[in-house]
Each structure stands twice: as structure tokens, then as C-alpha cells.
Amino acid sequence: MAGHPVSRRAFVAAGTGALLAPVLAAPARATGHPPFGRYGSPSARPDARTLYVHPGGLGDHTTVQAAVTAATGAGFTLVIAPGVYRETVSVGAVDPATGLPGAAGSEMTWIGATGDPRDVVVVYDNANGTPRPDGSGTHGTTGSATTTVRADGFTARSVTFANDWLRADHPDITGTQAVAIKVQGDRSAFHRCRFLGHQDTLYADTLALAVFARQYYRDCYVEGDVDFVFGRATAVFEHCHFRTLDRTDLAGAPYGFVFAPSTAVAGPRGYLVTRSRISSAAPDAYYKLARPWVPGSDPTARPMLTVRDTRLDSGVDAVAPYANMSAAHPWQDQRFAEYRNTGPGAVITVPENRPQLTDTEAERHTRAAYLGDWCP
């Protein structure tokens, strides 16, 4: 963000890339109202599978992870009261025999009690290069995630997922990936959620190379700088706002990349961004729209990204919006395409740098085509 490194507290409270007042407790507007809004309370719960989380002890649990752990079967709902929950959370343990998550945690729903995602923040500050507490090395990118969702059927409404680790605070750490949430389950849906971070904010992935996972993001806000939406999932982003951050640690462009898909070659669908917006706090043309990620664990990956009917503001480099992560896997060989985008970042000045879908091809790049028989 512009001007100076932001504090952790200000970063968590940032709504659209601009600094807001520090918020580490329930916002003032929530004072005097029932802590769980219209969703009942521990003394008036709609069913036994509804659990309440309140940092001050007015619910069943004071942390989100404690509530997740208590949800021993499928179909639980967590109603989360306003507050900043500084913790790491894991939903859905994997069965070592099958490599798939068990029933516990599946079909789980998290609801931010006020309906405003700024009021409920799940945040921590691990990075790839952060040492593990037990001295067994560093966390790695996956281990840096504040929230990890492996279970199928997960839904979150009106919650902020954040990782507020900052490069400026840790000049000795070179592994600067810091994930806010890693989502691996099939049928994962997020409505009116915020995802805050810098590098690798939202890891939209799958449990394994041969496992496909569908994800849906609606009316969400995502911010970051380097590859801040990345992974192998089939993911639809509809009516979402992506915000690229300013950087004071670099002298010139590019500052980063919005998308870094790593779609498996057998995956028929990757990322679809539709009817959304990409804005920027950085100078004009300082961000690339995407670069393909072909990880060492899957050298055959063929990343796929379609951006359609979306406004690209001036922060996106309109002349050369795509870049290579590796010269061995040029972006031109991947499945990147656009359709009917608008804004200064969408202006086609070098046609070979902006692959466009035909009207007929665009009919295969819709929410229904990507999600199949699942209607979130």
C-alpha cells in the first residue's frame, strides 16, 4: 500500500486497499445488538448442529478451530460473532488410507453474524519461510495458510480470511508466500467474503493431482500482489473485486500477477472470472493479469484462465498482460483467453498478446459449464 508499510492491525481492517482505523475487537456498530444477529444463540439454537463462536465467551466456543473440532459429523453450521480471531484453522482431516477427507467437517457452513465480512476476521501471520515452532524446518506455502479447507461442501458467508504477514517486518525471510486460505474440497462456496494478503492470498486448489474440485466465489473481494489467486481448482469468480496493492520494495514494474492457475492437463476447466472488476492501488500498467504456474509436482500442468465481461482498470498492463513463470512453459502454450472485457487494462493494442474467445467459444465458458450439476 502506498506511502509506508502498513501495520498488522491496519492491514486487517483494510477494506478496499486503503488504510482504515485499526480494528481488533467487535466494531462499535455491533455494540448493543445480539452477538449472533438473527441466527439465534446457544440458548435458542435452531438445531443441535448449529454452534456459536464468540471471542468473549458468549457462545459455545471462543475460537473458530474449537468449534470446528467440536463438529464431529457432517452438516454443521458455525455462527461467528464479530471479532478478530487470530488463529489458524483446519477443516476436514484427510484419511491416510484413501487420501480423501472423512465425514467430519463436510457440508460445513460458516456465517458471519452481522452479514458484513469486515466484522468477522480470521487471521494469522505465517509465511512460507516462517520457522515451525517445533524446529522442524519452515512452514512452506501450504503450511502458511491461516485457514485450510479440505472437506467437501464447505460454504462461508460474510467472513474475512486474512494473512497479515508483511515482508517489511521480516527482511531475513525469503519465502514470502503467505496464504490467507487454501481451499481443496469440492463444492466449496464463498459469498460476500474478503480475502486479504500479499503473495499467494487465495490458494484455490485440489486435494491431489487426479482429484478435481469445484469452487464458487460470489460478491467477494480479493487483494494481494504476487500470484494472489492461484492453484489447480475449477473455480468460478462472479461479481468479484480483485485489488492489486502498491509496493514500496520494488523500483519498477511488474509489481506482481493477479492469477497463477496450475490446472492439470486432464482438467477440462480452470479459473473463470466473469462480470467482475480488477482495480489497483499501484501505478498504471504495473501488474500482469496472469502467469501460468507449472509446479514441479506436476510438470504436465496446462494452466487455464478465462476472464470475461470484466472491467480491467489501468493497473493492468494492457500491452502485455501475461508473463511466463518459467521459460519452459510459455503462457502462449496454456489455456488463457478473454472475452468482452472493458476498461483501460482491456484495450487490445497488440492482438497476439490478448487471445480472445469467439462468441461460440464463449458459450462454453459459463458458470453452468464449469460447475456442472452443482448449483451453489
Side-chain angles (χ1 to χ4, degrees):
M1 297 183 186
H4 51 78
V6 299
S7 71
R8 287 189 176 88
R9 292 183 176 185
F11 175 74
V12 167
T16 56
L19 297 183
L20 303 180
V23 176
L24 283 183
R29 60 181 173 275
T31 302
H33 296 284
F36 303 107
R38 60 188 178 89
Y39 298 103
S41 68
S43 61
R45 70 181 82 235
D47 56 64
R49 291 183 180 270
T50 299
L51 302 177
Y52 295 90
V53 185
H54 188 283
L58 299 181
D60 300 305
H61 304 278
T62 57
T63 68
V64 178
Q65 183 61 66
V68 170
T69 302
T72 54
F76 276 80
T77 296
L78 273 53
V79 180
I80 309 173
V84 173
Y85 297 84
R86 180 161 286 278
E87 57 178 303
T88 59
V89 184
S90 180
V91 180
V94 173
D95 183 337
T98 65
L100 300 174
S106 64
E107 312 304 326
M108 178 177 284
T109 299
W110 292 9
I111 300 175
T114 68
D116 186 335
R118 294 174 297 178
D119 293 342
V120 175
V121 180
V122 182
V123 59
Y124 209 72
D125 61 347
N126 283 328
N128 179 330
T130 303
R132 296 176 185 267
D134 62 4
S136 61
T138 59
H139 283 286
T141 298
T142 290
S144 75
T146 298
T147 301
T148 302
V149 178
R150 300 181 184 90
D152 291 342
F154 180 84
T155 299
R157 300 181 184 275
S158 304
V159 176
T160 291
F161 300 89
N163 188 318
D164 58 358
W165 188 90
L166 295 173
R167 300 181 185 95
D169 292 346
H170 305 277
D172 56 318
I173 292 180
T174 57
T176 56
Q177 299 89 344
V179 177
I181 186 170
K182 181 172 184 176
V183 187
Q184 297 175 282
D186 187 33
R187 295 178 291 104
S188 300
F190 298 83
H191 302 267
R192 288 180 51 79
C193 289
R194 295 194 308 163
F195 305 90
L196 309 181
H198 283 262
Q199 183 171 354
D200 291 9
T201 304
L202 172 55
Y203 197 167
D205 204 47
T206 74
L207 280 170
L209 177 59
V211 177
F212 300 122
R214 295 163 295 176
Q215 301 174 15
Y216 180 63
Y217 301 81
R218 169 87 184 207
D219 298 317
C220 291
Y221 172 83
V222 193
E223 71 178 23
D225 49 38
V226 178
D227 303 333
F228 64 93
V229 181
F230 74 113
R232 192 169 49 212
T234 293
V236 175
F237 301 88
E238 190 167 33
H239 295 293
C240 290
H241 181 186
F242 303 89
R243 178 78 167 172
T244 62
L245 300 176
D246 200 3
R247 297 183 65 173
T248 58
D249 59 320
L250 295 180
Y255 277 0
F257 316 85
V258 182
F259 302 100
S262 58
T263 322
V265 68
R269 302 285 186 270
Y271 290 172
L272 171 65
V273 179
T274 178
R275 292 183 286 179
S276 295
R277 179 189 177 191
I278 300 173
S279 68
S280 183
D284 290 356
Y286 266 50
Y287 272 88
K288 303 294 186 181
L289 183 59
R291 62 178 179 172
W293 178 32
V294 181
S297 59
D298 180 19
T300 66
R302 192 158 177 253
M304 181 177 186
L305 167 71
T306 297
V307 180
R308 60 171 299 171
D309 301 299
T310 289
R311 177 175 174 82
L312 311 182
D313 288 349
S314 58
V316 174
D317 182 355
V319 175
Y322 304 105
N324 297 335
M325 190 176 294
S326 166
H329 305 284
W331 72 264
Q332 293 91 341
D333 292 347
Q334 315 310 322
R335 294 175 284 181
F336 286 0
E338 301 176 55
Y339 181 69
R340 295 194 312 194
N341 293 323
T342 61
V347 175
I348 301 173
T349 57
V350 182
E352 58 266 33
N353 288 347
R354 309 295 299 254
Q356 303 290 311
L357 297 175
T358 66
D359 291 345
T360 300
E361 291 170 336
E363 293 175 359
R364 300 194 296 271
H365 294 267
T366 64
R367 176 181 63 184
Y370 276 56
L371 301 184
D373 59 359
W374 176 48
C375 184

